[in-house]
Amino acid sequence: MAEQDELRRLREDAETRHFIDESLNALFAPEDDALRGALAAARAHDMPAIQISPVQGRLLQVLAHACGARKILEVGALAGYSGIWLARALPPDGRLISLEVSEKHAQIARDSLARAGLSDRAEVRVGPAAELLPALAGEAPFDLVFIDADKPGYPTYLDWALKLTRVGSLIVADNCIRGGRSLRAESDDPNAEATGIYDWRVASDPRLLSVAFPLDDDGMDGFAISVVVRPDAAGVSGPGA
Ligand code: DHB
Ligand code: MG
């Protein structure tokens, strides 16, 4: 009997979490045809359903506005869903440069951005990010960098994000929790190990003031968010300081 009560409570909790997610998405981050189109394109091309959630898209927009973003760099375009959220936070003369390793995915992302009427300010470049990033120095500094690509590349992408930003820029990375695997001392998941290294680095780098919190996948995954700080602010950015 106690077991049945416990099962009922677990089911009710799951239903409540689902209700909260749906309500927050509907209230703060309703999707329009262009966003739904990017999701449909991903499904039609058998791409994995690993887009950010609507509320995460809205959070990126809040952050972009908070730092007055005019230039945004995205590492990993997938089908252009997050790119639509990001590019919509830009002023008309702003610029989103999105890097995508797959030519096929890049074209799908371009089509998604075009359907959203954003082709004037959003560009998708094709190639391994580690090869494309060094060529962006002339277009830096970026006001916001969003990393959501192959996980083993995260530490390298962080190195470049630090080179390509300015004090006050934001660096956001998806999938920095991975069901807790990123936070364990030992992991047999190389993706989680790499995002764990990313977490440790942004938590301890004196150039950054960072936080990560679980806001996706039922509290199992989420963003790490860092702001690039003045060198003289280093004292406030150390772990727990
Ligand atoms: C994976 C990648 C993502 O960017 C994500 O949001 C979820 C999962 C993955 O490769 O497993
Ligand atoms: Mg992701």
Side-chain angles (χ1 to χ4, degrees):
M1 196 60 206
E3 217 170 275
Q4 289 211 330
D5 286 349
E6 177 66 6
L7 281 175
R8 186 180 329 112
R9 200 181 58 76
L10 286 173
R11 198 180 57 240
E12 284 171 5
D13 283 357
E15 284 169 6
T16 302
R17 277 198 300 275
H18 182 71
F19 167 77
I20 291 170
D21 282 349
E22 295 290 305
S23 303
L24 293 178
N25 284 337
L27 180 61
F28 290 103
E31 292 172 320
D32 66 354
D33 285 346
L35 286 163
R36 282 192 290 267
L39 297 178
R43 277 193 301 273
H45 290 91
D46 287 325
M47 293 161 76
I50 54 171
Q51 287 84 8
I52 58 169
S53 69
V55 159
Q56 284 179 297
R58 193 55 148 179
L59 175 57
L60 288 175
Q61 293 189 326
V62 169
L63 295 171
H65 279 272
C67 71
R70 306 182 72 81
K71 282 194 276 184
I72 298 178
L73 171 63
E74 178 180 57
V75 185
L78 204 61
Y81 181 83
S82 49
I84 294 175
W85 285 104
L86 287 167
R88 282 181 170 165
L90 286 167
D93 62 344
R95 193 115 204 100
L96 168 71
I97 297 177
S98 188
L99 311 183
E100 173 52 50
V101 69
S102 152
E103 172 70 57
K104 178 184 153 196
H105 292 182
Q107 194 49 51
I108 295 165
R110 285 186 199 111
D111 292 344
S112 296
L113 291 158
R115 280 194 301 273
L118 294 164
S119 302
D120 60 335
R121 69 197 76 169
E123 176 191 348
V124 185
R125 297 188 186 172
V126 183
E131 290 175 21
L132 298 177
L133 285 162
L136 288 171
E139 288 155 291
F142 290 88
D143 307 300
L144 190 156
V145 179
F146 178 50
I147 301 170
D148 190 11
D150 63 292
K151 308 312 162 199
Y154 271 37
T156 302
Y157 306 151
L158 175 60
D159 288 336
W160 281 104
L162 283 161
K163 288 192 181 93
L164 297 171
T165 49
R166 56 165 173 85
V167 169
S169 293
L170 295 168
I171 302 171
V172 182
D174 192 26
N175 310 116
C176 283
I177 296 173
R178 299 190 73 89
R181 294 188 302 286
S182 304
L183 307 172
R184 295 191 190 280
E186 302 277 322
S187 174
D188 53 10
D189 171 355
N191 289 338
E193 198 179 325
T195 51
I197 290 168
Y198 182 96
D199 290 338
W200 183 84
R201 285 196 45 198
V202 296
S204 53
D205 192 311
R207 293 167 291 181
L208 297 172
L209 186 69
S210 304
V211 69
F213 46 97
L215 75 172
D216 191 23
D217 284 351
D218 249 0
M220 288 295 187
D221 211 349
F223 287 170
I225 301 175
S226 306
V227 59
V228 181
V229 292
R230 293 184 314 274
D232 64 0
V236 300
S237 66

